[in-house]
Amino acid sequence: MRNTAAVILAAGQGTRMKSTKHKVLHEIAAKPMLFHLMDTVHLLGCEQQVLIIGSGREQVEEAVGTTEYKAKFAVQEEQLGTGHAVMMACNALEGCSGDVIILFGDTPFIPLEVMQKMLAAKNIEGEQPGIVVLGFDAENPGRYGRLVLAEDDSLERIVEYKDANDAERAITLCNSGMMVVDGDKLFEWLDSLSNDNAAGEYYLTDLVERARADGVKTVVVKAEEHDVMGVNSRADLAVAENAFQIKRRREMMNTGVTLIDPATVYFADDTKIANDVVIEPNVYFGPGVTVHNGARIKAFSHLEGAIVGEGASIGPYARLRPGADVGEKAKIGNFVEVKKAKLGNGAKVSHLSYIGDAQVGAGANIGAGTITCNYDGFFKYQTVVGDGAFIGSNTALVAPVTIGNGAIIGAGSVISSDIDIDALGVTRAKQKQIDGFAAKFRSDKLAKKEQE
């Protein structure tokens, strides 16, 4: 591509979101919607990306600044329309003579193939139109702008719904707002736009009329309606999330993942699942999860920032928090929480336990109700459980502490000192029995109650 640039409009206030968070930073699949779009633009190979920001721009600058996206910022101080917004990119794109693709930060799911198709249409040998507009056939056109085609199927004009006559409103080919424009002409055409309209704004759509007045051809490339889905409200956000999940579930199953009840499983954008993994109903994947071949994620489990080894079993009702690293054929059972802990191959934490800031050796068995006491109110400490160790039920391991390979911890113990290899560690008090105590206790209490 010849010096291609992308301009992404993200200056809108997003008032319909009713949120202090900038609209384009609201998340779809645990990732800001803007970043979904920027990922695609990166794959497109644009030499430059310019983000047009305005209201709440500090949030966008900070969010993008934490990533590896190489984007420039241009500020639209006043909201004077989409044409005015693109005008703000003039300095950032100084010297850009190639194609400029104009996109919207709240329209996150434009496929790479569609962007490539737009650029290809812009560079058809012998034609090379000045503008390529992205359109779509709407099932319910509503108040979308309509794309009016000429007899040769070129784009004659864009008509806003409020300005359209009955014949034009009957057109189902609608304007997405996105386009590719010749970089040599873009700012010349923008400078010639007028805001002599009821809203007092400069409309990007007026570029088509301006280009045709110069004798330059304008054309339409079509996308599917769901590809140009805009997100302007919480309801739109929910629709976008559902659309993402439906697509990702299908992709997962096509690569060999079993979803027993697909509609109840939710993935993050970066979830990585190998083939022959089985995922039971009502499982949620937050960011940063990798699951290796043959693992099984049982119902009602929640995973984020975790690695699940080959053939491992998780859940039901398990929670893997960031830093959880579960080895091959290890087992995390029901109502177990694991955080920042590495479990060796074949280790078992079968039920009702918390394992945090820990290393659990291969083949170790952690009994029900065991907790690692990793925090003293100020600092976190490590617990190390050796290979093949057995931790009895209802044990508290007070970190920092190391349990040696093959050691056994008696049930109900509070272990605050290291236990050697193959040793028994136990802290229970000696059991004693007082005969007749329970009967006397009940008799005394009943007598006292009758006196009240």
Side-chain angles (χ1 to χ4, degrees):
M1 291 181 291
R2 181 174 57 92
N3 197 20
T4 304
V7 175
I8 300 174
L9 276 57
Q13 296 182 12
T15 53
R16 284 199 280 163
M17 279 290 189
K18 302 291 191 295
S19 176
T20 57
K21 179 187 287 188
H22 196 289
K23 176 171 69 170
V24 300
L25 298 181
H26 282 265
E27 294 185 345
I28 300 168
K31 179 177 184 174
M33 69 173 86
L34 174 64
F35 293 175
H36 286 273
L37 178 63
M38 292 183 75
D39 279 348
T40 308
V41 171
H42 173 73
L43 293 174
L44 189 63
C46 292
E47 291 187 10
Q48 298 185 68
Q49 290 188 49
V50 181
L51 279 171
I52 310 299
I53 53 178
S55 178
R57 61 180 180 264
E58 298 84 1
Q59 293 184 31
V60 179
E61 289 172 330
E62 181 180 357
V64 174
T66 63
T67 70
E68 296 181 354
Y69 297 120
K70 295 179 180 179
K72 299 178 182 178
F73 295 99
V75 179
Q76 185 187 25
E77 297 286 359
E78 296 181 272
Q79 306 293 299
L80 298 178
T82 51
H84 179 258
V86 179
M87 290 177 193
M88 300 303 101
C90 183
N91 290 336
L93 292 181
E94 185 176 1
C96 175
S97 58
D99 299 325
V100 178
I101 185 167
I102 300 169
L103 304 163
F104 292 87
D106 59 5
T107 308
F109 294 148
I110 307 297
L112 176 63
E113 313 85 75
V114 170
M115 294 187 190
Q116 291 171 331
K117 187 177 178 182
M118 293 170 70
L119 289 167
K122 170 68 178 59
N123 292 284
I124 294 176
E125 188 173 351
E127 294 187 21
Q128 294 190 320
I131 298 176
V132 176
V133 172
L134 184 62
F136 63 99
D137 287 309
E139 183 177 344
N140 179 17
R143 304 186 68 83
Y144 286 116
R146 304 303 204 266
L147 301 181
V148 181
L149 302 183
E151 289 185 3
D152 63 354
D153 286 334
S154 66
L155 177 60
E156 183 176 294
R157 64 186 186 278
I158 302 175
V159 182
E160 297 300 328
Y161 177 84
K162 62 180 180 296
D163 300 321
N165 57 38
D166 288 344
E168 291 165 338
R169 289 183 179 181
I171 296 171
T172 59
L173 182 59
C174 296
N175 178 35
S176 74
M178 288 162 280
M179 59 180 69
V180 174
V181 185
D182 188 330
D184 285 328
K185 291 289 189 179
L186 174 60
F187 293 104
E188 176 188 331
W189 290 336
L190 285 170
D191 287 342
S192 69
L193 296 183
S194 169
N195 67 340
D196 185 17
N197 52 57
E201 294 185 348
Y202 299 91
Y203 295 125
L204 195 60
T205 51
D206 289 346
L207 288 183
V208 171
E209 181 181 353
R210 184 67 188 85
R212 291 183 70 88
D214 276 359
V216 177
K217 186 176 183 179
T218 58
V219 300
V220 175
V221 161
K222 287 186 183 182
E224 297 296 328
E225 185 171 5
H226 58 79
D227 291 336
V228 297
M229 179 189 308
V231 179
N232 295 296
S233 65
R234 306 282 182 159
D236 291 344
L237 191 66
V239 171
E241 179 73 38
N242 187 54
F244 175 93
Q245 296 299 337
I246 290 172
K247 181 180 178 182
R248 184 53 56 88
R249 292 163 188 154
R250 187 181 303 116
E251 290 171 350
M252 288 290 184
M253 290 186 285
N254 286 343
T255 59
V257 178
T258 295
L259 305 181
I260 293 175
D261 186 3
T264 66
V265 177
Y266 288 82
F267 297 105
D269 178 71
D270 63 353
T271 305
K272 296 179 177 63
I273 311 288
N275 64 330
D276 288 328
V277 169
V278 176
I279 302 174
E280 296 183 3
N282 297 292
V283 173
Y284 179 87
F285 293 93
V289 176
T290 298
V291 182
H292 291 283
N293 300 65
R296 189 179 189 100
I297 313 299
K298 296 185 178 181
F300 293 98
S301 294
H302 185 290
L303 298 81
E304 59 179 311
I307 299 171
V308 178
E310 186 172 340
S313 174
I314 308 297
Y317 293 97
R319 185 180 181 195
L320 301 188
R321 292 170 56 193
D325 186 347
V326 181
E328 293 181 14
K329 297 184 179 179
K331 178 183 178 182
I332 303 296
N334 52 293
F335 302 104
V336 172
E337 179 180 352
V338 179
K339 187 272 296 183
K340 201 175 180 182
K342 182 176 179 62
L343 279 73
N345 297 344
K348 294 180 181 180
V349 188
S350 294
H351 29 232
L352 301 162
S353 296
Y354 169 71
I355 306 298
D357 295 280
Q359 295 182 48
V360 177
N365 191 316
I366 309 295
T370 296
I371 60 171
T372 55
C373 306
N374 57 328
Y375 183 51
D376 65 2
F378 297 92
F379 301 102
K380 298 286 183 71
Y381 302 93
Q382 278 278 315
T383 296
V384 178
V385 177
D387 295 348
F390 182 93
I391 310 299
S393 298
N394 200 33
T395 293
L397 300 173
V398 183
V401 67
T402 296
I403 310 301
N405 294 346
I408 296 175
I409 304 300
S413 295
V414 177
I415 303 297
S416 56
S417 298
D418 292 353
I419 302 296
D420 291 339
I421 293 173
D422 290 329
L424 169 65
V426 61
T427 60
R428 292 195 300 266
K430 184 178 180 180
Q431 183 172 316
K432 63 180 180 179
Q433 176 174 309
I434 303 173
D435 293 335
F437 175 87
K440 184 176 186 302
F441 175 82
R442 287 191 294 271
S443 178
D444 291 346
K445 293 299 180 181
L446 287 170
K448 184 175 181 180
K449 189 171 184 179
E450 287 174 358
Q451 292 174 3
E452 292 180 351

